[in-house]
């Protein structure tokens, strides 16, 4: 993460329909230079006489270098804190995986119980009552797993927001420690995108509809998630003082996001038209419309790709923001994003409570 100028290289890899071929997408991004330092070979075959002559001087110099390179207590303390934080993170991850496995077993048991209830005729008006799942239609194990994992994702995000807020308020936290928090927050969002991709292949309409989100979040939904350009407009005022180059880079990023969003939206409109044509093909009074359904099913694979592409745009936007900003700025940006999503969920809860207590007249 640095404040250097960032170039946005367009790419045509996201094209599905003709309008999408015109979109500006992301090129290849290079991360930090992780190449090992150059090792300089030193000739060990020194002359014995020169070695003896310079022995006293070299010995004094080595002792001085060792004293100068000795880390101070503050650095050692921070390194120890980092190791302890990493250890706790591994333990939380292990417990999280175990919880997922237990929840999966419990889910399978619930499905078996539901199947037995259906066989025994426990239905409402001839149709099984699945309202408790928050999802109409047949119970889908893939979607039920996603809902469970997303609920745990939200809980983990709330914990990360609290930790990040405490870190920013602490005066002893440096850029290195803040970078650890930022990397963890980024990986958390990337995990969500991967979860959504898996769920979209199970039921793309469920992900597109936003039924897994609160009502206020659904109001701002765009292809299964937030619109990156709008989010940039919300986050920018909450960042610390930006340099002119940073401000210019963020403006260019917002414009690139808008172009990509427009291209995806045009592709979605064309897909709507193609699906409507496929469903309405032939006489609507025909009893056998399986050919039309088969044609539409083939085209729905494109809808899954649109969801994946939209999340790819969201992921690359977050990566670019963190590369433009300094560590403390990036941490504050992630904190603002998390608190913004928290407020949307709180708004949904308040509105739901209000409408139950005071029906609109």
């Amino acid at each position: 993460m640095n404040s250097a100028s960032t170039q946005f290289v367009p790419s045509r890899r996201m094209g599905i329909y003709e309008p999408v071929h015109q979109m500006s997408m992301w090129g290849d991004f290079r991360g930090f230079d992780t190449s090992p330092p150059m090792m300089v070979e030193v000739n060990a075959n020194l002359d014995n006489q020169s070695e003896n002559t310079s022995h006293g001087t070299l010995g004094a110099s080595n002792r001085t270098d060792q004293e100068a390179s000795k880390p101070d207590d503050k650095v050692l303390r921070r390194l120890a804190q980092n190791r302890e934080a990493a250890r706790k993170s591994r333990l939380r991850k292990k417990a999280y995986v175990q919880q997922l496995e237990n929840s999966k077993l419990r889910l399978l048991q619930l499905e078996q119980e539901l199947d037995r209830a259906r066989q025994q005729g426990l239905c409402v008006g001839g149709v099984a009552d699945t309202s408790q799942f928050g999802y109409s239609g047949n119970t889908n194990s893939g979607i039920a797993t996603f809902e469970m994992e997303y609920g745990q994702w939200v809980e983990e995000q709330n914990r990360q927001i609290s930790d990040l807020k405490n870190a920013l308020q602490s005066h002893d936290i440096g850029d290195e420690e803040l970078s650890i928090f930022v990397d963890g927050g980024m990986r958390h969002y990337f995990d969500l995108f991967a979860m959504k991709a898996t769920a979209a292949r199970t039921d793309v309409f469920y992900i597109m509809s936003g039924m897994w989100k609160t009502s206020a979040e659904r109001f701002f939904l765009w292809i299964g998630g937030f619109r990156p350009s709008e989010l940039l407009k919300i986050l920018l005022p909450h960042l610390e003082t930006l340099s002119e180059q940073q401000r210019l880079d963020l403006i260019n990023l917002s414009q690139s996001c808008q172009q990509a969003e427009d291209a995806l939206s045009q592709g979605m409109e064309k897909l709507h038209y193609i699906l409507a044509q496929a469903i309405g093909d032939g006489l609507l009074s025909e009893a056998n419309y399986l050919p039309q359904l088969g044609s539409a099913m083939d085209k729905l694979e494109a809808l899954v790709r649109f969801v994946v592409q939209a999340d790819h745009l969201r992921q690359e936007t977050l990566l670019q923001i963190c590369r433009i900003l300094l560590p403390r700025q990036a941490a504050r940006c992630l904190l603002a994003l998390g608190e913004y999503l928290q407020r949307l969920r709180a708004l949904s809860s308040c509105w739901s409570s209000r409408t139950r207590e005071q029906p609109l007249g």
Side-chain angles (χ1 to χ4, degrees), residues 299-312:
K299 295 173 176 57
L300 282 179
E301 289 296 327
L303 187 56
V304 177
R305 291 195 292 271
F306 270 109
V307 173
V308 173
Q309 289 172 358
D311 276 343
H312 177 71

Side-chain angles (χ1 to χ4, degrees), residues 34-48:
T34 57
S35 59
M38 294 180 59
M39 301 300 295
V40 181
E41 295 185 359
V42 180
N43 185 5
N45 299 321
L46 299 177
D47 185 78
N48 291 333

